[in-house]
Amino acid sequence: MKKLMKKNLSTAAIALLLLCAADMPGRSEMQYAGIAPNPAASVKTIIDKRPELHADGIKFGAYDPHGDFGAQSNVSTEALFLPWEDVDLETLRVADAYAQARGRNLLITVEPWSWDVDWRLTSAELRRKVLRGDYDVNMRAIAQMISQLKSPVIVRWGQEMEDKSGRFSWSGWNPRDYIAAYKRMMDIVRQEAPGTQIMWSPKGEPGLQDYYPGDDYVDLVGLSVFGLERYDELAYDKHRTFSEALKQGYDLVAGYGKPIWVAELGYQGGDAYVRPWIETATLKQSAFPNLQEVVYFNDRDVHAWPYNLGRPDWRVIDSVSN
């Protein structure tokens, strides 16, 4: 049997880097309907597209492996992504020190798989082993480490569970099985790290309500909101604003009465497309009274998007110019 090798966590910004998955094959854009590309409207001159923070606006956090937000004082949350296999949990102490020195919370997304694609189980195998308790030890080790951290911690486990694209091994499970797995993992967190907040984090798609684990197992709701100019043109035949991209998921979860976060935010496109996102992502809006914080995903996407669009680079500072 192969011996699993532990991988150290990223220290570039005391954050955890996601492995980059291979681009999925896609058909040519010519085979899809939508707005024709307009080079003039897609001009990019904005050097730094980080969201504008408003004095009385929504709180802001970031997943920031490149350290672009390291010196920014008005960042409330440092977000990390953590696989529960092949990882050195001691590095969480460094992340904790980094966050504490800046007065930030830690949002830890625990992904129940290995980031090494050669070691990943099939969806059915993962479900069976999680429900059987084979991975309790993995989650317990993470929770025990969290209990030793000094920063306030939020745990987000098995995100975007209602997504049916095949992106995550745990997505698309039978809702009853997912809820059982989620509760099992969060029970361990509560046993080992009392006081840790737990986040239930669907993508924001119809059907997410089937995966709701109940009010007792949700402190916060986290949604994913991304804006890609060319995708909007092909999928929606128009350019969406942040508010339009958020509305579907927000409306689906607002009835639970829980504080809502955008746990992953990103946008890419020409100046005319991204400027409204920059200006409104942290703006308080009457349509979203329960929205408390947005967390920017400051890196390149790890999966290819539909319509043969490849892996968008959400980073606020153009990586080509650095």
Side-chain angles (χ1 to χ4, degrees):
M1 183 175 72
K2 283 186 178 179
K3 181 179 180 182
L4 295 180
M5 300 298 293
K6 287 186 176 180
K7 296 181 176 66
N8 289 327
L9 308 187
S10 168
T11 56
I14 320 303
L16 305 175
L17 291 172
L18 295 169
L19 285 182
C20 296
D23 287 359
M24 296 185 293
R27 292 179 290 174
S28 166
E29 284 184 12
M30 297 301 293
Q31 296 177 259
Y32 298 96
I35 303 173
N38 184 349
S42 298
V43 172
K44 297 181 181 180
T45 64
I46 296 175
I47 298 174
D48 190 333
K49 63 178 184 180
R50 71 185 66 212
E52 178 183 345
L53 302 190
H54 305 272
D56 59 345
I58 305 300
K59 290 183 178 180
F60 178 75
Y63 165 65
D64 189 29
H66 304 284
D68 294 326
F69 294 94
Q72 190 167 323
S73 61
N74 49 3
V75 177
S76 299
T77 299
E78 188 77 17
L80 310 174
F81 289 81
L82 184 74
W84 68 5
E85 294 185 281
D86 314 323
V87 66
D88 181 3
L89 295 178
E90 284 295 321
T91 313
L92 282 177
R93 298 187 194 277
V94 185
D96 180 40
Y98 182 89
Q100 190 180 31
R102 290 159 178 78
R104 300 176 183 177
N105 302 315
L106 282 174
L107 171 61
I108 302 176
T109 298
V110 179
E111 298 189 327
W113 60 2
S114 169
W115 283 346
D116 188 334
V117 295
D118 294 330
W119 290 89
R120 289 181 187 169
L121 302 176
T122 66
S123 179
E125 289 173 328
L126 179 63
R127 182 179 66 247
R128 183 175 63 253
K129 294 187 72 173
V130 169
L131 293 176
R132 193 171 64 188
D134 292 15
Y135 283 102
D136 287 7
V137 64
N138 300 64
M139 198 67 192
R140 196 169 301 279
I142 292 171
Q144 288 173 347
M145 176 58 73
I146 288 173
S147 72
Q148 301 173 41
L149 304 182
K150 297 178 181 179
S151 303
V153 176
I154 301 162
V155 171
R156 176 179 179 241
W157 184 89
Q159 75 275 22
E160 300 185 8
M161 73 297 296
E162 87 279 22
D163 179 61
K164 294 180 172 60
S165 69
R167 176 171 184 156
F168 297 120
S169 300
W170 57 88
S171 295
W173 285 357
N174 177 291
R176 180 179 59 189
D177 290 341
Y178 176 84
I179 290 171
Y182 174 92
K183 287 183 174 181
R184 186 182 191 107
M185 296 303 110
M186 293 310 194
D187 280 340
I188 292 173
V189 171
R190 286 175 164 171
Q191 291 165 10
E192 300 293 344
T196 299
Q197 287 192 296
I198 57 178
M199 177 182 285
W200 175 69
S201 194
K203 185 175 183 178
E205 301 289 337
L208 66 80
Q209 63 274 7
D210 296 337
Y211 293 87
Y212 189 66
D215 291 346
D216 291 345
Y217 280 86
V218 179
D219 294 320
L220 307 165
V221 174
L223 298 168
S224 299
V225 178
F226 289 92
L228 181 61
E229 181 176 19
R230 189 59 188 141
Y231 178 81
D232 281 2
E233 293 169 351
L234 292 166
Y236 302 104
D237 207 30
K238 68 174 208 174
H239 292 158
R240 295 193 304 168
T241 64
F242 168 75
S243 301
E244 290 171 328
L246 171 61
K247 180 175 172 52
Q248 174 180 268
Y250 183 94
D251 288 349
L252 288 170
V253 301
Y256 298 127
K258 299 290 184 176
I260 297 171
W261 287 31
V262 174
E264 295 185 36
L265 167 71
Y267 43 82
Q268 183 192 65
D271 291 0
Y273 181 82
V274 304
R275 187 170 287 110
W277 286 72
I278 292 171
E279 295 172 350
T280 61
T282 70
L283 185 68
K284 281 189 177 180
Q285 301 183 55
S286 59
F288 310 123
N290 293 342
L291 184 62
Q292 288 195 349
E293 187 160 343
V294 298
V295 179
Y296 198 88
F297 186 92
N298 192 38
D299 202 6
R300 189 181 182 193
D301 206 309
V302 296
H303 289 269
W305 274 49
Y307 305 118
N308 202 29
L309 294 176
R311 292 168 43 221
D313 190 350
W314 311 115
R315 189 173 173 186
V316 293
I317 297 174
D318 188 352
S319 57
V320 176
S321 63
N322 284 272

